[in-house]
Amino acid sequence: MNLPLIDLYQTDFYAWTQTQVELLRQRQLDCLDIENLIEEIDSLGKQQQQELINRLGVLLGHLLKWEYQPSKRSRSWVATIREQRRKIDKLLQKNPSLKPYLEEAIPEAYLDGVDLAVGETLMSYQTFPACTPYTWEQIKNPDFLPGCLSESDQDLLN
């Protein structure tokens, strides 16, 4: 298949990527599809930002459910909170330049978290604060769970 690169980009993305990789390996820089490469590399960075927002949203949603629906607390919620914290930590370790983006990501993720909490409970949007009640230090702290812990909650944490 000897399509021009722009056609290949539009008709067979995988083949286009493999062609770009081979051209880079061979240092045939003048043959690269520069415009589409720029677009794709930019997109990769945005995907990392979106992954951070998505994971924070799930985490914040579960922290809200934990705080505002204490009678429904479950081991599943604890596992989700732990998993999201671990994956956020790993994402930030692999991409330390995302840390300054947290200031922008947390408010956006909080709205997603509220949507999650409303969607999974019988509570209304008015139940939750307009902006996140948790600091970044609390959000990332593996020992932080909002609200009061009961004796039965201790069983969920073990």
Side-chain angles (χ1 to χ4, degrees):
M1 179 189 312
N2 256 346
L3 290 173
L5 289 180
I6 191 112
D7 292 338
L8 194 56
Y9 179 77
Q10 294 170 350
T11 60
D12 189 343
F13 182 74
Y14 179 75
W16 176 85
T17 63
Q18 298 311 295
T19 302
Q20 298 305 295
V21 167
E22 193 55 36
L23 290 169
L24 285 166
R25 283 192 178 118
Q26 295 174 9
R27 306 294 190 259
Q28 293 182 9
L29 306 181
D30 56 328
C31 296
L32 291 169
D33 181 359
I34 298 296
E35 290 308 312
N36 286 319
L37 271 173
I38 291 168
E39 184 178 319
E40 291 305 320
I41 291 171
D42 185 45
S43 176
L44 289 172
K46 290 177 181 170
Q47 286 176 12
Q48 296 303 302
Q49 289 178 327
Q50 191 57 52
E51 181 177 352
L52 179 61
I53 290 169
N54 292 345
R55 293 197 177 283
L56 282 167
V58 172
L59 173 56
L60 290 166
H62 279 76
L63 290 174
L64 289 169
K65 290 190 324 181
W66 182 273
E67 181 172 5
Y68 287 86
Q69 208 172 35
S71 64
K72 305 267 182 164
R73 290 174 179 168
S74 70
R75 194 173 299 275
S76 169
W77 290 2
V78 171
T80 298
I81 289 167
R82 286 181 177 168
E83 175 190 17
Q84 294 308 314
R85 282 181 170 146
R86 198 171 46 254
K87 294 211 172 173
I88 290 166
D89 183 54
K90 187 175 181 178
L91 180 64
L92 292 173
Q93 283 179 17
K94 287 184 172 184
N95 301 279
S97 63
L98 283 175
K99 288 178 184 173
Y101 181 67
L102 284 166
E103 191 174 322
E104 183 180 332
I106 290 171
E108 185 175 340
Y110 178 70
L111 297 175
D112 294 343
V114 170
D115 286 341
L116 183 148
V118 167
E120 294 184 3
T121 69
L122 297 176
M123 292 181 273
S124 71
Y125 285 96
Q126 291 74 28
T127 304
F128 304 104
C131 56
T132 183
Y134 317 121
T135 66
W136 169 239
E137 294 304 315
Q138 291 171 318
I139 292 168
K140 71 176 186 167
N141 182 344
D143 297 321
F144 171 75
L145 288 169
C148 298
L149 292 179
S150 67
E151 284 184 35
S152 61
D153 292 334
Q154 293 301 327
D155 292 337
L156 298 175
L157 300 175
N158 296 324

